[in-house]
Amino acid sequence: MDLTAFAAEVGTDDPVTIAGLGTRDGAVAGVRCVSAPSGIEWIQADEMTVSCGAGTPVDELSAALAEVGQRTVLPAGGTVGGALAVGRSGIRRLGDGAVRDVLLQTHYVGADGVVVKAGGPTVKNVSGFDVCRLLVGSQGTIGFLGDVILRTRPIAPHSAWFTAATDDPMAVFAAVHRPVAVLWDGISVHVLLEGHHLDVAEQATRTGLVASDGPPTLPGGRHAVRPADVLAVTSGLRPGAFVAELGMGIVRADADAIPPTPVDPGVAAISRRVKEGFDPTGRLNPGRTA
Ligand SMILES: Cc1cc2nc3c(=O)[nH]c(=O)nc-3n(C[C@H](O)[C@H](O)[C@H](O)COP(=O)(O)OP(=O)(O)OC[C@H]3O[C@@H](n4cnc5c(N)ncnc54)[C@H](O)[C@@H]3O)c2cc1C
């Protein structure tokens, strides 16, 4: 994609912010705002890759990919760039992998207004620091994504949610083969299985799961804990007031339900140095933290 105009818009020295569809944090208030180019350049279904502008709405990308039996693991609702900059995986992470693993290549604009290429169309021909993974979840604080090449996934022939009341969710977790999601709300497990419909039905019967309409409603807050600590952490919460992603260490519960895990000072110092290294004057999304 020709990013000359986008790079010129980002400029070189005044504070600047970037917004996608504004469904999450959007632009930094009161700062000159730019938006990334939109549009799908190509789809290679046999390579499971797609190239598009970072300003492309994820729902538009999903519709185009569905025409060739593919899908993206990026969460719905916003732009490709916004989803990558936020870097949050959805409840399918157990089966799909993390959002940060789908960004293969990007051309981004740095704080100096220069277009930089990071990554490559295929994982194996990339050397040096993995800047793509650094950019995912960086909230636009170290570079503005212009265009990207993403890993796509095939759409499963059959996909269905199941549930079962249990007081031993880890036994269900251990019994199901390659689930896409196993959620626990303190009363029941909620399991997403995909594949050939006969295999899915056989698995559900074998593990005592019954068909359900879908996942439980997710509480607003999102807490990251060690996967091994999920049961201990949720044992202190009211059943039904949380939804834990087993195997992933994500617990959805009210914001104040679980005390935040303190950030290691060493990690905080490294993050500060990385930010200063990429954006010495702090002009990209000023005041925002990754
Ligand atoms: C209907 C709907 C369903 C949703 N479902 C899910 C879901 O299932 N799971 C889930 O996790 N989320 C979900 N979300 C949330 C949604 O995925 C995020 O809000 C979305 O990814 C943010 O994208 P955006 O374009 O709106 O970003 P914005 O809110 O505009 O921006 C978010 C951040 O990204 C930065 N940014 C934007 N574009 C770029 C760029 N090109 N380069 C660098 N930084 C950039 C912005 O500066 C800001 O810091 C849903 C939202 C909606 C509306």
Side-chain angles (χ1 to χ4, degrees), residues 55-143:
T56 308
V58 171
D59 298 347
E60 190 183 305
L61 176 64
S62 296
L65 288 172
E67 285 170 21
V68 291
Q70 296 280 307
R71 62 184 175 83
T72 175
V73 308
L74 297 182
T79 61
V80 167
L84 291 167
V86 171
R88 289 220 169 143
S89 307
I91 55 174
R92 298 177 53 104
R93 182 178 173 182
L94 183 63
D96 284 351
V99 157
R100 75 170 166 276
D101 298 334
V102 300
L103 181 60
L104 298 177
Q105 176 187 299
T106 182
H107 290 96
Y108 71 91
V109 179
D112 55 5
V114 173
V115 176
V116 181
K117 176 178 177 264
T122 55
V123 177
K124 62 181 180 298
N125 67 357
V126 176
S127 60
F129 287 115
D130 190 340
V131 176
C132 282
R133 281 192 168 75
L134 208 53
L135 286 159
V136 177
S138 68
Q139 285 276 8
T141 57
I142 60 173

Side-chain angles (χ1 to χ4, degrees), residues 15-81:
V16 60
T17 185
I18 187 166
L21 292 176
T23 63
R24 173 90 47 177
D25 317 283
V28 175
V31 176
R32 183 172 67 80
C33 184
V34 301
S35 45
S38 177
I40 298 169
E41 276 201 297
W42 49 259
I43 298 176
Q44 287 179 358
D46 51 353
E47 295 280 336
M48 297 199 299
T49 53
V50 58
S51 172
C52 65
T56 308
V58 171
D59 298 347
E60 190 183 305
L61 176 64
S62 296
L65 288 172
E67 285 170 21
V68 291
Q70 296 280 307
R71 62 184 175 83
T72 175
V73 308
L74 297 182
T79 61
V80 167

